[in-house]
Amino acid sequence: LYTPLFSGVFWEYQDTVLEDIERIEVIRGPGATLWGANAMNGIVNIITKSARDTQGALFSGGAGTEERGFASVRYGGTLTSNLFFRVYGKYFNRDTFATPSGGDAHDAWWMGRGGFRLDWEPSSPNKFTVEGEAYGGILDQIYFVPMPPTTVAVTNSNVSRGGHILGTWTHTFSERSDLRLQLYYDRTHLTTPIFTEGRDTYDVDVQHRFQAGTRNDVVWGLGYRLYADNVDTNLAIKLFPPKRRTQIFSTFVQDAITLVPEKLILTLGSKFEHNDYTGFEIQPNVRLTYMPTERQTLWGAISRAVRTPSRVESDISFQQPIGPGQFATIVGNPNFKSEKLIAYELGHRIQYKNLYFDTAAFYNRYDDLRTIEPSASGLVAGNGLKGESYGIELGPTYKVADWWRLQAAYTWLQLQLSRKPGSLDPFMFEKDIEGRSPHHQFTLRSSFDLPQHLQLDGILRYVDSLPGIGVARYYVLDLRLGWNPYKDLEFSIVGQNLLSRRHAEFTPSALVQTQPTQVESGVYGKVTWHF
């Protein structure tokens, strides 16, 4: 999902048929030992079902006030006794957000996609998977483009399209050893009023797991990734060179060592990675897991991770408004360093009858965070910031009865940043950056199974204020009423953001300025039919 253009994610590319998702894993803290650079603060791993498990037809669709129309169609079948397939298509059309005054933000959005998956098991030791997808859509947007001596509002549409194909071969040598080879190609193309980017990604990944003796469970692997991009820009933003090829070579090894059978496990590992921006990076991890009983786990970890430079931080040149009619030129820095993290974590999980409770505490130290420093050529990307964050996370789950389940989550976060000696960033206000992350977040989820084949689900969410970007604290309540008149047929009605007509959750960045928008309340109906 990650794009090296700006060290983030183009979320408008990402979507899938929800019914095809097997599970979603959330891994706390740095995951760099296994996933590599830019996995600094956590991992979300989305795992889709095998084609064997999605046989038959599915239709899911609906419409509402904000979700103006959406539909998913999927069909799965068998080509031979051990070759399974599915094909699918998905479409949505979403209404605009609102401006702070309640007007139309002119950012409606639609997208369609289609794809396939094949799973072949020709013999017991081998499994093959091939999947692919293509998508395209349009996102309306208002940009504020610097055109010195003024800034011009441009109403236009972002055109997104792309696709990917992935192949995986898994060979099982024995219960103690298996090998996986994965090949991947991805193509994305995005057109906006300020830039157009085409990007090709090629990836090869090999992983081998084996048990050495009775106490060592080892996994190691090799990887190679090639990014090839072509970025066209306008007078406001430039990238030089406009075309660039970036390579990443990597290897990793991790060993889970059983110190006391079924009681104490020590996990040691590290990723060794070479990229074209900063060269060689090492990202180790040490983790100790103690299980005093079958229903209780204690764990602690120390990890190192990095965020490598993006294309923008290395190669950009753009005009930044600094006052009425005043602009400064900000340029990239080919010598920009990776941002670094050392993370310390402690956690406890316990299950008692119908109660499951998960607790985690963390302390993170950051170094070489990005600043904008004065130079002879203007303002340049630098590494003049350091800091620390610490906090706790609580996650209780309680099964009140067979027909009622409760799940809650609470997070407390404290972030403290400071300039390093020599930093002269004129825009750096540490309190503003600290104020871009909420101190408190709380979520409560309730699921009822009611008579007459009815279900009532609700999610209450609280997010603390973000003074660094001018967002007030807010509460969100979503409710869903579902009815299953038959086993394979479901009708539902969903209300979203029911506690207020609209609220802000973010504000635009300084680099790509768009108008502020707010999320509105809405309602939609949905039908899902398996046949």
Side-chain angles (χ1 to χ4, degrees):
L1 305 190
Y2 174 87
T3 173
L5 177 66
F6 65 96
S7 293
V9 177
F10 283 117
W11 289 109
E12 56 265 41
Y13 295 165
Q14 317 305 333
D15 201 3
T16 190
V17 177
L18 292 182
E19 290 82 0
D20 289 347
I21 294 176
E22 178 179 297
R23 67 185 187 276
I24 300 176
E25 300 174 342
V26 180
I27 298 97
R28 287 191 181 97
T33 296
L34 296 182
W35 280 274
N38 309 308
M40 291 188 71
N41 295 311
I43 294 293
V44 178
N45 196 21
I46 302 171
I47 298 157
T48 53
K49 298 175 182 177
S50 165
R52 175 198 285 268
D53 300 324
T54 55
Q55 298 292 286
L58 165 75
F59 171 79
S60 177
T65 57
E66 299 301 307
E67 299 283 350
R68 296 192 295 200
F70 57 91
S72 298
V73 179
R74 180 246 288 158
Y75 180 75
T78 302
L79 297 177
T80 66
S81 60
N82 53 20
L83 178 58
F84 308 91
F85 77 93
R86 70 166 172 259
V87 293
Y88 64 90
K90 185 174 183 179
Y91 168 84
F92 66 78
N93 187 332
R94 293 179 178 144
D95 196 15
T96 63
F97 287 122
T99 63
S101 62
D104 192 327
H106 300 289
D107 58 355
W109 177 22
W110 70 264
M111 181 165 283
R113 66 183 61 235
F116 72 94
R117 173 165 173 158
L118 294 169
D119 287 284
W120 182 35
E121 303 175 10
S123 61
S124 56
N126 296 289
K127 292 183 180 180
F128 295 88
T129 296
V130 179
E131 62 177 270
E133 181 181 78
Y135 61 86
I138 293 178
L139 170 63
D140 297 331
Q141 190 74 67
I142 295 179
Y143 289 90
F144 296 100
V145 181
M147 294 291 183
T150 187
T151 298
V152 178
V154 177
T155 302
N156 211 319
S157 298
N158 297 346
V159 180
S160 302
R161 63 180 185 270
H164 75 263
I165 188 165
L166 178 148
T168 303
W169 168 53
T170 302
H171 180 79
T172 301
F173 297 101
S174 67
E175 293 182 356
R176 298 166 55 90
S177 178
D178 58 69
L179 176 72
R180 190 187 72 171
L181 169 66
Q182 180 172 283
L183 305 176
Y184 177 72
Y185 169 72
D186 180 84
R187 169 68 178 174
T188 62
H189 191 275
L190 175 64
T191 301
T192 77
I194 57 176
F195 73 91
T196 298
E197 186 210 27
R199 178 174 299 275
D200 296 287
T201 302
Y202 306 85
D203 187 271
V204 181
D205 184 74
V206 180
Q207 293 188 19
H208 180 211
R209 182 192 65 86
F210 66 95
Q211 293 181 358
T214 59
R215 294 181 177 269
N216 298 79
D217 194 348
V218 180
V219 58
W220 70 279
L222 302 170
Y224 171 75
R225 175 167 291 194
L226 170 65
Y227 293 111
D229 67 48
N230 185 1
V231 184
D232 293 328
T233 55
N234 60 21
L235 295 177
I237 295 180
K238 298 179 182 178
L239 284 179
F240 184 81
K243 296 182 180 181
R244 182 160 185 166
R245 296 166 66 89
T246 305
Q247 299 183 93
I248 300 173
F249 300 87
S250 66
T251 184
F252 79 93
V253 62
Q254 179 172 282
D255 186 6
I257 307 167
T258 300
L259 302 180
V260 180
E262 301 181 357
K263 290 289 184 181
L264 190 62
I265 298 175
L266 175 65
T267 302
L268 304 173
S270 184
K271 188 88 165 185
F272 306 92
E273 203 166 64
H274 185 278
N275 68 82
D276 290 346
Y277 292 105
T278 62
F280 195 59
E281 302 282 2
I282 302 176
Q283 298 171 91
N285 171 273
V286 179
R287 181 175 298 264
L288 187 65
T289 304
Y290 173 53
M291 295 161 285
T293 67
E294 292 182 354
R295 296 178 177 269
Q296 191 171 182
T297 302
L298 294 157
W299 59 273
I302 303 175
S303 312
R304 182 182 189 271
V306 302
R307 183 188 72 82
T308 55
S310 67
R311 180 88 146 86
V312 164
E313 288 160 330
S314 175
D315 303 332
I316 199 170
S317 173
F318 74 101
Q319 298 293 313
Q320 171 68 44
I322 58 175
Q326 296 180 306
F327 293 81
T329 300
I330 297 180
V331 297
N333 180 2
N335 297 315
F336 186 79
K337 302 175 184 177
S338 294
E339 296 182 338
K340 301 170 181 67
L341 164 66
I342 303 293
Y344 305 85
E345 303 170 87
L346 288 173
H348 178 230
R349 303 185 187 99
I350 187 170
Q351 184 175 355
Y352 179 74
K353 294 184 178 179
N354 294 334
L355 175 65
Y356 174 83
F357 205 97
D358 187 4
T359 306
F362 61 90
Y363 173 71
N364 297 333
R365 293 192 62 87
Y366 298 92
D367 198 8
D368 290 332
L369 300 179
R370 184 179 63 199
T371 52
I372 305 297
E373 304 290 347
S375 72
S377 57
L379 298 171
V380 64
N383 297 94
L385 191 65
K386 63 180 181 179
E388 62 182 15
S389 68
Y390 50 91
I392 58 173
E393 297 178 351
L394 307 177
T397 299
Y398 182 48
K399 186 176 181 181
V400 183
D402 290 340
W403 49 271
W404 186 15
R405 297 167 300 280
L406 291 173
Q407 184 178 10
Y410 169 74
T411 299
W412 173 70
L413 170 68
Q414 184 67 34
L415 179 63
Q416 296 177 344
L417 301 173
S418 61
R419 301 190 197 204
K420 298 168 67 174
S423 175
L424 301 174
D425 187 339
F427 307 112
M428 177 56 63
F429 299 98
E430 290 89 335
K431 292 300 180 183
D432 286 347
I433 298 179
E434 293 170 1
R436 296 175 186 175
S437 300
H439 286 297
H440 304 278
Q441 293 186 83
F442 175 77
T443 300
L444 177 63
R445 179 193 301 264
S446 174
S447 298
F448 286 100
D449 294 328
L450 302 176
Q452 304 301 318
H453 308 288
L454 293 171
Q455 305 95 37
L456 178 63
D457 302 319
I459 300 177
L460 176 66
R461 182 164 57 95
Y462 168 76
V463 179
D464 207 358
S465 62
L466 307 176
I469 56 176
V471 172
R473 66 180 183 178
Y474 57 89
Y475 295 86
V476 173
L477 175 64
D478 297 343
L479 292 176
R480 170 189 171 273
L481 179 64
W483 177 47
N484 293 88
Y486 303 101
K487 177 182 178 181
D488 296 325
L489 180 63
E490 178 186 271
F491 298 94
S492 60
I493 184 169
V494 178
Q496 297 176 300
N497 304 304
L498 297 178
L499 299 181
S500 63
R501 293 186 60 186
R502 61 180 184 272
H503 68 275
E505 295 191 4
F506 66 95
T507 56
S509 68
L511 175 60
V512 180
Q513 295 189 12
T514 59
Q515 69 174 345
T517 61
Q518 296 187 349
V519 180
E520 298 177 278
S521 60
V523 63
Y524 67 84
K526 179 181 178 182
V527 58
T528 303
W529 183 26
H530 297 264
F531 58 97

